[in-house]
Amino acid sequence: MRKGVKKATSTTLAALLKENRVFKPSKEFKSQAYIKDKSIYRKAVKNPQAFWEHQAESLTWFKKWNKILDWKLPFAQWFVGGKINACYNCVDRHINSVIRNKAAIMWEGEPGDNRVLTYWDLYREVNKLANAIQSLGIKKGDRVAIYLPMIPEAVMSMLACARIGAVHTVVFGGFSAEALKDRINDAQAKLLITADGGYRRGTIVQLKQAADAAVQNCPSIKNVLVVQRCKNEIKMQQGRDHWYHDVMKNAQSYCEPEKMDSEDLLFILYTSGTTGKPKGIIHTTGGYMTGVTFTSKYVFDLKPEDVFWCTADVGWVTGHSYITYGPLANAATVVMYEGSPDWPERNRFWKIIEKHGVTIFYTAPTAIRAFMKWGTQWPEGCDLSSLRLLGSVGEPINPEAWVWYYEYIGRERCPIVDTWWQTETGCILISPLPGVTILKPGSATKPLPGIEAKVLTEEGKEVKVGGGYLALTKPWPAMLRGIFGDPERYRQTYWSRWGGKYYFTGDGAKIDEDGYYWLLGRVDDIMLVAGHNISTMEVESALVDHSSVAESAVVGIKDEIKGQAIAAFVILKDGNTPGQEVAEALKQHVVNKIGAIARPSKIIFTSDLPKTRSGKIMRRLLRDVAEGRALGDVTTLADTTVVENLKRKYEEET
Ligand code: WT7
């Protein structure tokens, strides 16, 4: 333990949960926060368009818009007629002040190597890269695929594309050759930017090898730009492949930023969706930049002196909005880390926070539950006193994990912003504002100013208190503009419910007496047990609330009597042994927490769960296991052996 660092006490954890406690912003936090009172909500409700116009004014525009919103449902245009460049806003506009010498990116590689890029460095690199990309024949509107590890070149590639008006589509470096090929072909990308490899758990991920396999079947790709990261042996195909450091050597140091229309495409990002063909979600420039710049500043209370670390990969929308575009438009300092949280030890994240003095830390519940499983000795051994705000994103955070995060990472000092949003929404939509919102563990609290969200019944009736479908009932600047090349699918997927009037999020939600929103996960994950709607997430949350459980995944399986019965896959915390007795105790625990209706009929112990590469549990495959079927499509899994082992073990035991 370091001096001045409060040690968390395990007794408070249980107490905090039992009391159903709410968490008010502390005096210290509130007194320094950008937003200290709720007048911003009132202003936004009064005139949402004027509110968003005011936010757009914090960006630098080459030409002002002549109309704030053009809304031809379901197609929105924001800041119509405005001219803007995203890269200019993230880089150029900061280099005429002292910010020029401020760290933009503090990067750490998995082996422990470090790089710091100031805003000036970023400016220089991005300009050269933009010229290099142009020299490879890329023009405004062309698509560029980016398949890189978490290295600064990933951010620089995105910005360089934005600078010249090329549309980037970042493909997560953990995806297979097959997944890369599908995305490149759908986007018809002309250029691929990749690397020889990247580090993950001490080994080299062979990115170039995968890229080679993909590009064989991608006729649109004319050139491949290769960053040398690991110096592993790779093949370079003459005429097609170019070393990044070679093309940069000859590149001119200034490239005029393209004056983009507010509604010109900024990027395509394929959703990680757990079923079906991936959708190329499209985002445009002015509205997207307005949404991410506003939310970065106010949801995270992001100050010039902060060190902001979002642990997501740039291959997900979280990395687009809260590593690259939002923080950099605010001239923030961001931390970027290449590797795994448990390499070389399970305290790597806490070491990074200690070393770089991270003040704002933004991660996912699935990571938090892994930290809980590994034990408190890891964070306790590090100085986390620089932290002042914590964030969560990606799935509902169960109250148990929330309180653990609050106590052991925030040391009861840091507000937690549980931020709900989607690839499609572009920026955070439901979240606390940390200087004013009273927090309830497990609730994302309320829609942000300027956002209108409602819980509706199947028929479109508004639910004031209770459960239903989450809908967005007014357009917002960072909303998706469609699905690349498929406007009909856009309409079908998001705008076909409720007479096409509202955006359907696909999520279930509950509103409580105080008007707080409780996200219940995807509606496809709602079970129907003996005529009752039960969300898989509620049962999971009850299970994880038991002291022996680290993580769980719940699915509904066919049952002749009840329609569906509940099967629960359970990972026990280190030091607990699976068996009949624990299984009974867990069933009883769920009955106590939710009621007899939610009693799992099966508890299946496992040491791992099948997850997508973005950490979402693939319940569809668990249903296949529990119902004894052959496994469905497993191509989006992070690790296919997990579910194969689970299936084998399950069949041996039953
Ligand atoms: C889905 C969107 C948003 C960036 C990362 C995921 C779930 C996300 C929360 C939250 C409850 C959440 C929803 C949503 N989700 N954040 N704070 N509480 N659920 O982006 O892959 O497009 O997934 O993630 O189900 O619809 P995505």
Side-chain angles (χ1 to χ4, degrees), residues 229-258:
R229 164 66 184 132
C230 300
K231 301 206 162 92
N232 49 316
E233 209 175 303
I234 60 165
K235 282 197 208 89
M236 293 290 279
Q237 184 178 309
Q238 246 212 317
R240 183 195 73 182
D241 299 352
H242 316 269
W243 283 111
Y244 183 98
H245 52 264
D246 285 340
V247 297
M248 288 292 273
K249 235 184 281 166
N250 307 319
Q252 296 279 316
S253 59
Y254 180 72
C255 172
E256 186 75 18
E258 190 74 35

PDB file of all heavy atoms in Angstrom, residues 229-258:
ATOM      1  N   ARG A 229       5.783  -3.464 -36.996  1.00  0.00           N
ATOM      2  CA  ARG A 229       5.607  -3.397 -35.546  1.00  0.00           C
ATOM      3  C   ARG A 229       6.471  -4.443 -34.838  1.00  0.00           C
ATOM      4  O   ARG A 229       7.173  -4.147 -33.891  1.00  0.00           O
ATOM      5  CB  ARG A 229       4.121  -3.607 -35.206  1.00  0.00           C
ATOM      6  CG  ARG A 229       3.814  -3.954 -33.756  1.00  0.00           C
ATOM      7  CD  ARG A 229       4.150  -2.812 -32.824  1.00  0.00           C
ATOM      8  NE  ARG A 229       3.960  -3.157 -31.409  1.00  0.00           N
ATOM      9  CZ  ARG A 229       4.850  -2.926 -30.458  1.00  0.00           C
ATOM     10  NH1 ARG A 229       6.008  -2.354 -30.732  1.00  0.00           N
ATOM     11  NH2 ARG A 229       4.598  -3.254 -29.208  1.00  0.00           N
ATOM     12  N   CYS A 230       6.410  -5.681 -35.300  1.00  0.00           N
ATOM     13  CA  CYS A 230       7.059  -6.768 -34.543  1.00  0.00           C
ATOM     14  C   CYS A 230       8.328  -7.290 -35.223  1.00  0.00           C
ATOM     15  O   CYS A 230       9.038  -8.097 -34.647  1.00  0.00           O
ATOM     16  CB  CYS A 230       6.081  -7.926 -34.350  1.00  0.00           C
ATOM     17  SG  CYS A 230       4.594  -7.468 -33.457  1.00  0.00           S
ATOM     18  N   LYS A 231       8.562  -6.859 -36.445  1.00  0.00           N
ATOM     19  CA  LYS A 231       9.697  -7.358 -37.224  1.00  0.00           C
ATOM     20  C   LYS A 231       9.650  -8.881 -37.403  1.00  0.00           C
ATOM     21  O   LYS A 231      10.679  -9.525 -37.544  1.00  0.00           O
ATOM     22  CB  LYS A 231      11.035  -6.934 -36.594  1.00  0.00           C
ATOM     23  CG  LYS A 231      11.195  -5.410 -36.478  1.00  0.00           C
ATOM     24  CD  LYS A 231      12.668  -5.015 -36.463  1.00  0.00           C
ATOM     25  CE  LYS A 231      12.890  -3.552 -36.784  1.00  0.00           C
ATOM     26  NZ  LYS A 231      12.936  -2.659 -35.637  1.00  0.00           N
ATOM     27  N   ASN A 232       8.479  -9.446 -37.335  1.00  0.00           N
ATOM     28  CA  ASN A 232       8.325 -10.872 -37.647  1.00  0.00           C
ATOM     29  C   ASN A 232       8.426 -11.038 -39.156  1.00  0.00           C
ATOM     30  O   ASN A 232       8.208 -10.091 -39.905  1.00  0.00           O
ATOM     31  CB  ASN A 232       6.975 -11.400 -37.125  1.00  0.00           C
ATOM     32  CG  ASN A 232       5.799 -10.527 -37.520  1.00  0.00           C
ATOM     33  OD1 ASN A 232       5.891  -9.304 -37.431  1.00  0.00           O
ATOM     34  ND2 ASN A 232       4.709 -11.119 -37.955  1.00  0.00           N
ATOM     35  N   GLU A 233       8.756 -12.251 -39.566  1.00  0.00           N
ATOM     36  CA  GLU A 233       8.975 -12.451 -40.996  1.00  0.00           C
ATOM     37  C   GLU A 233       7.647 -12.468 -41.752  1.00  0.00           C
ATOM     38  O   GLU A 233       6.716 -13.176 -41.353  1.00  0.00           O
ATOM     39  CB  GLU A 233       9.722 -13.758 -41.224  1.00  0.00           C
ATOM     40  CG  GLU A 233      10.560 -13.685 -42.484  1.00  0.00           C
ATOM     41  CD  GLU A 233      11.389 -14.938 -42.653  1.00  0.00           C
ATOM     42  OE1 GLU A 233      12.165 -15.273 -41.737  1.00  0.00           O
ATOM     43  OE2 GLU A 233      11.218 -15.585 -43.702  1.00  0.00           O
ATOM     44  N   ILE A 234       7.590 -11.675 -42.808  1.00  0.00           N
ATOM     45  CA  ILE A 234       6.371 -11.654 -43.615  1.00  0.00           C
ATOM     46  C   ILE A 234       6.748 -11.615 -45.091  1.00  0.00           C
ATOM     47  O   ILE A 234       7.884 -11.333 -45.429  1.00  0.00           O
ATOM     48  CB  ILE A 234       5.496 -10.415 -43.298  1.00  0.00           C
ATOM     49  CG1 ILE A 234       6.278  -9.116 -43.578  1.00  0.00           C
ATOM     50  CG2 ILE A 234       4.998 -10.452 -41.876  1.00  0.00           C
ATOM     51  CD1 ILE A 234       5.398  -7.893 -43.635  1.00  0.00           C
ATOM     52  N   LYS A 235       5.746 -11.892 -45.929  1.00  0.00           N
ATOM     53  CA  LYS A 235       5.979 -11.779 -47.377  1.00  0.00           C
ATOM     54  C   LYS A 235       5.450 -10.429 -47.843  1.00  0.00           C
ATOM     55  O   LYS A 235       4.363 -10.017 -47.454  1.00  0.00           O
ATOM     56  CB  LYS A 235       5.217 -12.893 -48.113  1.00  0.00           C
ATOM     57  CG  LYS A 235       5.891 -14.233 -48.036  1.00  0.00           C
ATOM     58  CD  LYS A 235       5.303 -15.145 -49.129  1.00  0.00           C
ATOM     59  CE  LYS A 235       5.402 -16.599 -48.711  1.00  0.00           C
ATOM     60  NZ  LYS A 235       4.247 -17.100 -47.941  1.00  0.00           N
ATOM     61  N   MET A 236       6.252  -9.755 -48.681  1.00  0.00           N
ATOM     62  CA  MET A 236       5.784  -8.495 -49.280  1.00  0.00           C
ATOM     63  C   MET A 236       5.573  -8.751 -50.769  1.00  0.00           C
ATOM     64  O   MET A 236       6.490  -9.219 -51.448  1.00  0.00           O
ATOM     65  CB  MET A 236       6.817  -7.386 -49.087  1.00  0.00           C
ATOM     66  CG  MET A 236       7.015  -6.948 -47.643  1.00  0.00           C
ATOM     67  SD  MET A 236       5.618  -6.035 -46.928  1.00  0.00           S
ATOM     68  CE  MET A 236       5.906  -4.389 -47.573  1.00  0.00           C
ATOM     69  N   GLN A 237       4.385  -8.486 -51.241  1.00  0.00           N
ATOM     70  CA  GLN A 237       4.121  -8.724 -52.658  1.00  0.00           C
ATOM     71  C   GLN A 237       4.458  -7.480 -53.472  1.00  0.00           C
ATOM     72  O   GLN A 237       3.881  -6.411 -53.270  1.00  0.00           O
ATOM     73  CB  GLN A 237       2.657  -9.104 -52.874  1.00  0.00           C
ATOM     74  CG  GLN A 237       2.372  -9.446 -54.338  1.00  0.00           C
ATOM     75  CD  GLN A 237       0.939  -9.872 -54.543  1.00  0.00           C
ATOM     76  OE1 GLN A 237       0.432 -10.745 -53.838  1.00  0.00           O
ATOM     77  NE2 GLN A 237       0.266  -9.250 -55.493  1.00  0.00           N
ATOM     78  N   GLN A 238       5.408  -7.665 -54.378  1.00  0.00           N
ATOM     79  CA  GLN A 238       5.874  -6.518 -55.156  1.00  0.00           C
ATOM     80  C   GLN A 238       4.778  -5.832 -55.939  1.00  0.00           C
ATOM     81  O   GLN A 238       3.909  -6.487 -56.503  1.00  0.00           O
ATOM     82  CB  GLN A 238       6.992  -6.954 -56.099  1.00  0.00           C
ATOM     83  CG  GLN A 238       8.236  -6.258 -55.646  1.00  0.00           C
ATOM     84  CD  GLN A 238       9.187  -5.932 -56.714  1.00  0.00           C
ATOM     85  OE1 GLN A 238       9.435  -6.739 -57.600  1.00  0.00           O
ATOM     86  NE2 GLN A 238       9.736  -4.742 -56.600  1.00  0.00           N
ATOM     87  N   GLY A 239       4.810  -4.499 -55.890  1.00  0.00           N
ATOM     88  CA  GLY A 239       3.813  -3.736 -56.622  1.00  0.00           C
ATOM     89  C   GLY A 239       2.564  -3.478 -55.804  1.00  0.00           C
ATOM     90  O   GLY A 239       1.931  -2.442 -55.947  1.00  0.00           O
ATOM     91  N   ARG A 240       2.225  -4.405 -54.923  1.00  0.00           N
ATOM     92  CA  ARG A 240       1.008  -4.237 -54.120  1.00  0.00           C
ATOM     93  C   ARG A 240       1.337  -3.753 -52.704  1.00  0.00           C
ATOM     94  O   ARG A 240       0.663  -2.883 -52.153  1.00  0.00           O
ATOM     95  CB  ARG A 240       0.259  -5.575 -54.050  1.00  0.00           C
ATOM     96  CG  ARG A 240      -1.070  -5.505 -53.306  1.00  0.00           C
ATOM     97  CD  ARG A 240      -1.608  -6.887 -52.933  1.00  0.00           C
ATOM     98  NE  ARG A 240      -0.831  -7.482 -51.835  1.00  0.00           N
ATOM     99  CZ  ARG A 240      -1.043  -8.694 -51.333  1.00  0.00           C
ATOM    100  NH1 ARG A 240      -1.989  -9.453 -51.839  1.00  0.00           N
ATOM    101  NH2 ARG A 240      -0.294  -9.161 -50.343  1.00  0.00           N
ATOM    102  N   ASP A 241       2.365  -4.331 -52.111  1.00  0.00           N
ATOM    103  CA  ASP A 241       2.672  -4.053 -50.698  1.00  0.00           C
ATOM    104  C   ASP A 241       3.768  -3.004 -50.562  1.00  0.00           C
ATOM    105  O   ASP A 241       4.770  -3.043 -51.289  1.00  0.00           O
ATOM    106  CB  ASP A 241       3.124  -5.335 -49.998  1.00  0.00           C
ATOM    107  CG  ASP A 241       2.046  -6.416 -50.004  1.00  0.00           C
ATOM    108  OD1 ASP A 241       0.906  -6.114 -50.416  1.00  0.00           O
ATOM    109  OD2 ASP A 241       2.341  -7.555 -49.600  1.00  0.00           O
ATOM    110  N   HIS A 242       3.574  -2.087 -49.628  1.00  0.00           N
ATOM    111  CA  HIS A 242       4.557  -1.022 -49.408  1.00  0.00           C
ATOM    112  C   HIS A 242       4.808  -0.887 -47.909  1.00  0.00           C
ATOM    113  O   HIS A 242       3.857  -0.884 -47.126  1.00  0.00           O
ATOM    114  CB  HIS A 242       4.033   0.323 -49.921  1.00  0.00           C
ATOM    115  CG  HIS A 242       3.376   0.236 -51.263  1.00  0.00           C
ATOM    116  ND1 HIS A 242       4.058   0.423 -52.443  1.00  0.00           N
ATOM    117  CD2 HIS A 242       2.096  -0.071 -51.617  1.00  0.00           C
ATOM    118  CE1 HIS A 242       3.217   0.266 -53.460  1.00  0.00           C
ATOM    119  NE2 HIS A 242       2.025  -0.048 -52.984  1.00  0.00           N
ATOM    120  N   TRP A 243       6.065  -0.752 -47.524  1.00  0.00           N
ATOM    121  CA  TRP A 243       6.352  -0.483 -46.119  1.00  0.00           C
ATOM    122  C   TRP A 243       5.932   0.934 -45.772  1.00  0.00           C
ATOM    123  O   TRP A 243       6.258   1.884 -46.489  1.00  0.00           O
ATOM    124  CB  TRP A 243       7.842  -0.655 -45.809  1.00  0.00           C
ATOM    125  CG  TRP A 243       8.264  -2.082 -45.689  1.00  0.00           C
ATOM    126  CD1 TRP A 243       9.064  -2.775 -46.550  1.00  0.00           C
ATOM    127  CD2 TRP A 243       7.924  -2.988 -44.628  1.00  0.00           C
ATOM    128  NE1 TRP A 243       9.241  -4.065 -46.103  1.00  0.00           N
ATOM    129  CE2 TRP A 243       8.548  -4.228 -44.920  1.00  0.00           C
ATOM    130  CE3 TRP A 243       7.146  -2.893 -43.469  1.00  0.00           C
ATOM    131  CZ2 TRP A 243       8.427  -5.349 -44.088  1.00  0.00           C
ATOM    132  CZ3 TRP A 243       7.020  -4.013 -42.652  1.00  0.00           C
ATOM    133  CH2 TRP A 243       7.650  -5.214 -42.960  1.00  0.00           C
ATOM    134  N   TYR A 244       5.269   1.066 -44.670  1.00  0.00           N
ATOM    135  CA  TYR A 244       4.822   2.363 -44.152  1.00  0.00           C
ATOM    136  C   TYR A 244       6.012   3.313 -44.008  1.00  0.00           C
ATOM    137  O   TYR A 244       5.968   4.463 -44.452  1.00  0.00           O
ATOM    138  CB  TYR A 244       4.163   2.084 -42.799  1.00  0.00           C
ATOM    139  CG  TYR A 244       3.541   3.244 -42.074  1.00  0.00           C
ATOM    140  CD1 TYR A 244       2.168   3.472 -42.159  1.00  0.00           C
ATOM    141  CD2 TYR A 244       4.286   4.073 -41.251  1.00  0.00           C
ATOM    142  CE1 TYR A 244       1.564   4.502 -41.452  1.00  0.00           C
ATOM    143  CE2 TYR A 244       3.695   5.114 -40.548  1.00  0.00           C
ATOM    144  CZ  TYR A 244       2.336   5.318 -40.650  1.00  0.00           C
ATOM    145  OH  TYR A 244       1.758   6.339 -39.949  1.00  0.00           O
ATOM    146  N   HIS A 245       7.101   2.813 -43.407  1.00  0.00           N
ATOM    147  CA  HIS A 245       8.235   3.720 -43.171  1.00  0.00           C
ATOM    148  C   HIS A 245       8.893   4.166 -44.478  1.00  0.00           C
ATOM    149  O   HIS A 245       9.485   5.236 -44.532  1.00  0.00           O
ATOM    150  CB  HIS A 245       9.255   3.108 -42.210  1.00  0.00           C
ATOM    151  CG  HIS A 245       9.710   1.731 -42.579  1.00  0.00           C
ATOM    152  ND1 HIS A 245       9.145   0.588 -42.025  1.00  0.00           N
ATOM    153  CD2 HIS A 245      10.653   1.296 -43.433  1.00  0.00           C
ATOM    154  CE1 HIS A 245       9.742  -0.473 -42.538  1.00  0.00           C
ATOM    155  NE2 HIS A 245      10.658  -0.073 -43.394  1.00  0.00           N
ATOM    156  N   ASP A 246       8.773   3.371 -45.526  1.00  0.00           N
ATOM    157  CA  ASP A 246       9.330   3.800 -46.815  1.00  0.00           C
ATOM    158  C   ASP A 246       8.511   4.929 -47.441  1.00  0.00           C
ATOM    159  O   ASP A 246       9.067   5.939 -47.866  1.00  0.00           O
ATOM    160  CB  ASP A 246       9.390   2.629 -47.804  1.00  0.00           C
ATOM    161  CG  ASP A 246      10.530   1.677 -47.466  1.00  0.00           C
ATOM    162  OD1 ASP A 246      11.465   2.113 -46.746  1.00  0.00           O
ATOM    163  OD2 ASP A 246      10.476   0.508 -47.903  1.00  0.00           O
ATOM    164  N   VAL A 247       7.202   4.749 -47.477  1.00  0.00           N
ATOM    165  CA  VAL A 247       6.389   5.788 -48.120  1.00  0.00           C
ATOM    166  C   VAL A 247       6.406   7.083 -47.294  1.00  0.00           C
ATOM    167  O   VAL A 247       6.323   8.177 -47.845  1.00  0.00           O
ATOM    168  CB  VAL A 247       4.920   5.368 -48.394  1.00  0.00           C
ATOM    169  CG1 VAL A 247       4.851   4.210 -49.363  1.00  0.00           C
ATOM    170  CG2 VAL A 247       4.174   5.047 -47.125  1.00  0.00           C
ATOM    171  N   MET A 248       6.563   6.943 -45.977  1.00  0.00           N
ATOM    172  CA  MET A 248       6.600   8.141 -45.119  1.00  0.00           C
ATOM    173  C   MET A 248       7.890   8.931 -45.339  1.00  0.00           C
ATOM    174  O   MET A 248       7.911  10.145 -45.205  1.00  0.00           O
ATOM    175  CB  MET A 248       6.458   7.753 -43.644  1.00  0.00           C
ATOM    176  CG  MET A 248       5.071   7.306 -43.252  1.00  0.00           C
ATOM    177  SD  MET A 248       3.841   8.632 -43.295  1.00  0.00           S
ATOM    178  CE  MET A 248       4.033   9.306 -41.638  1.00  0.00           C
ATOM    179  N   LYS A 249       8.952   8.214 -45.652  1.00  0.00           N
ATOM    180  CA  LYS A 249      10.258   8.870 -45.845  1.00  0.00           C
ATOM    181  C   LYS A 249      10.177   9.946 -46.925  1.00  0.00           C
ATOM    182  O   LYS A 249      10.746  11.018 -46.791  1.00  0.00           O
ATOM    183  CB  LYS A 249      11.302   7.807 -46.233  1.00  0.00           C
ATOM    184  CG  LYS A 249      12.527   7.813 -45.312  1.00  0.00           C
ATOM    185  CD  LYS A 249      13.579   6.816 -45.778  1.00  0.00           C
ATOM    186  CE  LYS A 249      13.195   5.411 -45.345  1.00  0.00           C
ATOM    187  NZ  LYS A 249      13.927   4.323 -45.983  1.00  0.00           N
ATOM    188  N   ASN A 250       9.442   9.644 -47.987  1.00  0.00           N
ATOM    189  CA  ASN A 250       9.395  10.569 -49.119  1.00  0.00           C
ATOM    190  C   ASN A 250       8.182  11.495 -49.106  1.00  0.00           C
ATOM    191  O   ASN A 250       7.993  12.282 -50.024  1.00  0.00           O
ATOM    192  CB  ASN A 250       9.392   9.774 -50.430  1.00  0.00           C
ATOM    193  CG  ASN A 250      10.556   8.804 -50.480  1.00  0.00           C
ATOM    194  OD1 ASN A 250      11.669   9.141 -50.082  1.00  0.00           O
ATOM    195  ND2 ASN A 250      10.285   7.581 -50.922  1.00  0.00           N
ATOM    196  N   ALA A 251       7.364  11.375 -48.070  1.00  0.00           N
ATOM    197  CA  ALA A 251       6.102  12.135 -48.092  1.00  0.00           C
ATOM    198  C   ALA A 251       6.329  13.598 -47.715  1.00  0.00           C
ATOM    199  O   ALA A 251       7.118  13.906 -46.829  1.00  0.00           O
ATOM    200  CB  ALA A 251       5.096  11.494 -47.140  1.00  0.00           C
ATOM    201  N   GLN A 252       5.603  14.482 -48.404  1.00  0.00           N
ATOM    202  CA  GLN A 252       5.628  15.921 -48.101  1.00  0.00           C
ATOM    203  C   GLN A 252       5.028  16.172 -46.717  1.00  0.00           C
ATOM    204  O   GLN A 252       4.179  15.421 -46.261  1.00  0.00           O
ATOM    205  CB  GLN A 252       4.777  16.675 -49.132  1.00  0.00           C
ATOM    206  CG  GLN A 252       5.294  16.592 -50.548  1.00  0.00           C
ATOM    207  CD  GLN A 252       6.412  17.579 -50.808  1.00  0.00           C
ATOM    208  OE1 GLN A 252       6.317  18.733 -50.413  1.00  0.00           O
ATOM    209  NE2 GLN A 252       7.476  17.122 -51.443  1.00  0.00           N
ATOM    210  N   SER A 253       5.461  17.273 -46.085  1.00  0.00           N
ATOM    211  CA  SER A 253       5.067  17.474 -44.688  1.00  0.00           C
ATOM    212  C   SER A 253       3.760  18.234 -44.500  1.00  0.00           C
ATOM    213  O   SER A 253       3.296  18.382 -43.388  1.00  0.00           O
ATOM    214  CB  SER A 253       6.176  18.178 -43.930  1.00  0.00           C
ATOM    215  OG  SER A 253       6.427  19.418 -44.551  1.00  0.00           O
ATOM    216  N   TYR A 254       3.154  18.724 -45.570  1.00  0.00           N
ATOM    217  CA  TYR A 254       1.849  19.359 -45.389  1.00  0.00           C
ATOM    218  C   TYR A 254       0.864  18.872 -46.437  1.00  0.00           C
ATOM    219  O   TYR A 254       1.191  18.755 -47.624  1.00  0.00           O
ATOM    220  CB  TYR A 254       1.942  20.890 -45.458  1.00  0.00           C
ATOM    221  CG  TYR A 254       0.584  21.536 -45.259  1.00  0.00           C
ATOM    222  CD1 TYR A 254      -0.018  21.543 -44.000  1.00  0.00           C
ATOM    223  CD2 TYR A 254      -0.129  22.079 -46.329  1.00  0.00           C
ATOM    224  CE1 TYR A 254      -1.281  22.086 -43.804  1.00  0.00           C
ATOM    225  CE2 TYR A 254      -1.402  22.626 -46.146  1.00  0.00           C
ATOM    226  CZ  TYR A 254      -1.964  22.629 -44.882  1.00  0.00           C
ATOM    227  OH  TYR A 254      -3.229  23.157 -44.694  1.00  0.00           O
ATOM    228  N   CYS A 255      -0.339  18.622 -45.988  1.00  0.00           N
ATOM    229  CA  CYS A 255      -1.406  18.194 -46.890  1.00  0.00           C
ATOM    230  C   CYS A 255      -2.647  19.003 -46.543  1.00  0.00           C
ATOM    231  O   CYS A 255      -3.125  18.963 -45.406  1.00  0.00           O
ATOM    232  CB  CYS A 255      -1.671  16.695 -46.692  1.00  0.00           C
ATOM    233  SG  CYS A 255      -3.102  16.089 -47.582  1.00  0.00           S
ATOM    234  N   GLU A 256      -3.130  19.747 -47.483  1.00  0.00           N
ATOM    235  CA  GLU A 256      -4.310  20.594 -47.258  1.00  0.00           C
ATOM    236  C   GLU A 256      -5.513  19.725 -46.845  1.00  0.00           C
ATOM    237  O   GLU A 256      -5.854  18.782 -47.554  1.00  0.00           O
ATOM    238  CB  GLU A 256      -4.604  21.335 -48.575  1.00  0.00           C
ATOM    239  CG  GLU A 256      -5.700  22.359 -48.520  1.00  0.00           C
ATOM    240  CD  GLU A 256      -5.287  23.645 -47.801  1.00  0.00           C
ATOM    241  OE1 GLU A 256      -4.068  23.898 -47.634  1.00  0.00           O
ATOM    242  OE2 GLU A 256      -6.204  24.382 -47.404  1.00  0.00           O
ATOM    243  N   PRO A 257      -6.151  20.044 -45.714  1.00  0.00           N
ATOM    244  CA  PRO A 257      -7.339  19.252 -45.338  1.00  0.00           C
ATOM    245  C   PRO A 257      -8.500  19.528 -46.281  1.00  0.00           C
ATOM    246  O   PRO A 257      -8.749  20.676 -46.626  1.00  0.00           O
ATOM    247  CB  PRO A 257      -7.657  19.735 -43.919  1.00  0.00           C
ATOM    248  CG  PRO A 257      -7.002  21.061 -43.777  1.00  0.00           C
ATOM    249  CD  PRO A 257      -5.829  21.084 -44.711  1.00  0.00           C
ATOM    250  N   GLU A 258      -9.179  18.499 -46.682  1.00  0.00           N
ATOM    251  CA  GLU A 258     -10.313  18.601 -47.608  1.00  0.00           C
ATOM    252  C   GLU A 258     -11.496  19.290 -46.905  1.00  0.00           C
ATOM    253  O   GLU A 258     -11.826  18.945 -45.775  1.00  0.00           O
ATOM    254  CB  GLU A 258     -10.688  17.171 -48.015  1.00  0.00           C
ATOM    255  CG  GLU A 258     -11.669  17.039 -49.133  1.00  0.00           C
ATOM    256  CD  GLU A 258     -11.070  17.354 -50.495  1.00  0.00           C
ATOM    257  OE1 GLU A 258      -9.887  17.053 -50.729  1.00  0.00           O
ATOM    258  OE2 GLU A 258     -11.817  17.921 -51.325  1.00  0.00           O
TER     259      GLU A 258
END
